[in-house]
Amino acid sequence: MEDKIVIAKRVALELKDGDLVNLGIGLPTLVPKYLPPEMEVYFQSENGIIGMAAVPRQGMEDPSLTDAGGGYVGAIPGAASIDSALSFGLIRGGHLDITVLGGLEVDQQGQLANWIVPGKMVPGMGGAMDLVTGAKRVIVSMTHTAKGAPKIVKKCSLPVTSLRRASLIVTELAVIEPTSEGLVLREVAPGITVEQVMAATQAKLIVPEKVAVMPIAEESKGIAAKA
């Protein structure tokens, strides 16, 4: 199973009926594909959409329907188009149940760095700082390493996105929960050992006596629900 599919499937298990969820650009946009077809989850984009649907088929794109990264999206029946002020009011007001964001680094305190790489041109910080600060839960979905280098580190070398601690980190190797005591290893991916996770992690991990295996299936019949 591809790394990004492992991550998306596991993140999908954190969502429940009726959730209002913001998806970051890139890997997080795969999550709706692995929701059960009967589940109703409403996806929001900070540029002013509530009720995003899956990426449309080639040739069916509508230039007026894009996510915050400029990628084409669809809209479910009853979707709402709102202005940026209301969209960020929802985010900053604590009305988002979950935000799922990609990450460049997460440190031992659970702080996320995902908005800039010094010296590289970026279009702007977008809503990352607001989302990490305002959402009820913050799930970081990212690969465990980048070109062999750990992304879960003792201290972020990149500027942190928010002082707030993330709620959960999901990688292709593990599920890690940042807590006031430190980073707790909750699950390992199928076929992965605790030792492999620790070898790929620079930060210190708290390893409980029993570490579960991610409850994800090799194949999924889930479809993009209220995406």
Side-chain angles (χ1 to χ4, degrees), residues 117-173:
V117 176
K120 291 192 176 182
M121 183 68 71
V122 294
M125 68 183 68
M129 295 179 180
D130 299 276
L131 288 162
V132 176
T133 303
K136 293 174 185 175
R137 293 188 71 209
V138 178
I139 298 176
V140 180
S141 61
M142 66 180 191
T143 55
H144 210 95
T145 61
K147 297 181 179 179
K151 294 173 66 174
I152 302 174
V153 295
K154 292 180 180 178
K155 184 176 177 60
C156 288
S157 62
L158 301 172
V160 298
T161 306
S162 172
L163 296 179
R164 180 187 175 188
R165 186 168 63 228
S167 308
L168 203 67
I169 306 164
V170 180
T171 77
E172 78 280 14
L173 300 184

Side-chain angles (χ1 to χ4, degrees), residues 53-62 72-74:
V55 177
R57 297 189 306 273
Q58 187 172 2
M60 299 297 291
E61 300 92 345
D62 183 340
Y72 290 117
V73 296

Side-chain angles (χ1 to χ4, degrees), residues 11-225:
V11 171
L13 295 177
E14 296 295 313
L15 278 52
K16 61 183 186 299
D17 268 325
D19 276 348
L20 179 61
V21 178
N22 176 282
L23 296 177
I25 60 176
L27 194 156
T29 62
L30 299 176
V31 172
K33 182 178 179 182
Y34 300 103
L35 291 177
E38 69 277 5
M39 184 178 288
E40 292 189 340
V41 174
Y42 298 89
F43 292 100
Q44 181 257 11
S45 181
E46 60 266 35
N47 60 322
I49 304 173
I50 299 176
M52 287 190 298
V55 177
R57 297 189 306 273
Q58 187 172 2
M60 299 297 291
E61 300 92 345
D62 183 340
S64 66
L65 283 175
T66 65
D67 62 19
Y72 290 117
V73 296
I76 64 170
S81 176
I82 58 179
D83 66 14
S84 185
L86 178 54
S87 183
F88 276 86
L90 292 172
I91 296 168
R92 295 169 181 168
H95 302 289
L96 276 180
D97 293 297
I98 295 175
T99 184
V100 183
L101 299 170
L104 299 172
E105 292 177 333
V106 181
D107 69 16
Q108 201 155 291
Q109 286 69 49
Q111 292 181 333
L112 168 68
N114 80 335
W115 74 277
I116 191 171
V117 176
K120 291 192 176 182
M121 183 68 71
V122 294
M125 68 183 68
M129 295 179 180
D130 299 276
L131 288 162
V132 176
T133 303
K136 293 174 185 175
R137 293 188 71 209
V138 178
I139 298 176
V140 180
S141 61
M142 66 180 191
T143 55
H144 210 95
T145 61
K147 297 181 179 179
K151 294 173 66 174
I152 302 174
V153 295
K154 292 180 180 178
K155 184 176 177 60
C156 288
S157 62
L158 301 172
V160 298
T161 306
S162 172
L163 296 179
R164 180 187 175 188
R165 186 168 63 228
S167 308
L168 203 67
I169 306 164
V170 180
T171 77
E172 78 280 14
L173 300 184
V175 176
I176 297 169
E177 181 184 6
T179 71
S180 57
E181 288 75 36
L183 302 179
V184 181
L185 179 60
R186 295 298 186 195
E187 298 174 10
V188 293
I192 299 297
T193 66
V194 170
E195 290 73 23
Q196 285 174 303
V197 175
M198 295 180 71
T201 308
Q202 184 192 91
K204 180 180 178 181
L205 295 178
I206 299 170
V207 182
E209 185 175 334
K210 184 175 181 180
V211 178
V213 176
M214 288 185 195
I216 56 173
E218 181 66 29
E219 298 295 332
S220 173
K221 295 181 180 179
I223 61 173

